[in-house]
Amino acid sequence: MAEMETQSNKMSITEESLTTRKECGKRGRKPGRKTSTEKLDIKAKLERSRQSARECRARKKLRYQYLEELVADREKAVVALRTELERLIQWNRQLSENNTPSNNDQLLQEIGILKQE
């Protein structure tokens, strides 16, 4: 008798699980079918994606322009510093040879040792 009760309990459990599985399978969207609102959502999503890509490309272009200008400014500064260094090296050579440079006053004014009149 105990065996019959356990078998009937097992059968009722399996029947309940089968019915719940069938119910779960019927819920939700069926694959492959799209409603018209979903198609509109997809089109809107694609358009937003395209717009985002356009904006990203524009930001990238501006960033590269800014960096190119920055590099050009730095290159100009490097050239100016190199010419100043060359001038100071020549002035140093003349001073070490005990020759007074012809533009001594101008160099002292540029360095800030001699004040302009």
Side-chain angles (χ1 to χ4, degrees):
M1 187 162 166
E3 289 179 20
M4 290 182 90
E5 288 179 18
T6 55
Q7 286 180 351
S8 64
N9 286 342
K10 286 181 183 178
M11 290 180 72
S12 64
I13 292 172
T14 55
E15 288 175 7
E16 288 176 13
S17 63
L18 289 175
T19 57
T20 55
R21 284 185 188 163
K22 288 181 183 177
E23 289 176 9
C24 291
K26 292 182 181 178
R27 291 184 188 171
R29 285 183 262 157
K30 294 184 180 178
R33 293 187 182 181
K34 298 194 185 241
T35 61
S36 61
T37 57
E38 288 175 342
K39 289 178 183 177
L40 292 175
D41 290 343
I42 291 172
K43 287 181 181 180
K45 184 177 179 182
L46 285 173
E47 185 56 37
R48 283 193 307 268
S49 176
R50 288 184 189 119
Q51 181 64 28
S52 177
R54 280 191 290 269
E55 291 171 359
C56 180
R57 286 189 294 271
R59 283 191 307 268
K60 185 177 179 182
K61 184 178 178 181
L62 287 173
R63 185 171 50 246
Y64 276 105
Q65 287 175 349
Y66 167 74
L67 291 174
E68 286 174 354
E69 290 173 3
L70 193 65
V71 167
D73 290 343
R74 299 287 165 92
E75 286 175 348
K76 287 178 187 176
V78 166
V79 169
L81 288 172
R82 285 186 192 273
T83 56
E84 183 179 354
L85 179 65
E86 286 297 322
R87 207 168 20 132
L88 291 174
I89 289 172
Q90 288 176 358
W91 188 44
N92 187 25
R93 280 189 197 136
Q94 290 176 355
L95 286 175
S96 29
E97 293 173 355
N98 291 331
N99 294 337
T100 9
S102 58
N103 55 2
N104 193 17
D105 292 336
Q106 179 186 0
L107 288 172
L108 291 175
Q109 285 176 357
E110 287 178 10
I111 293 173
I113 296 172
L114 188 64
K115 294 184 180 179
Q116 294 180 353
E117 298 174 1

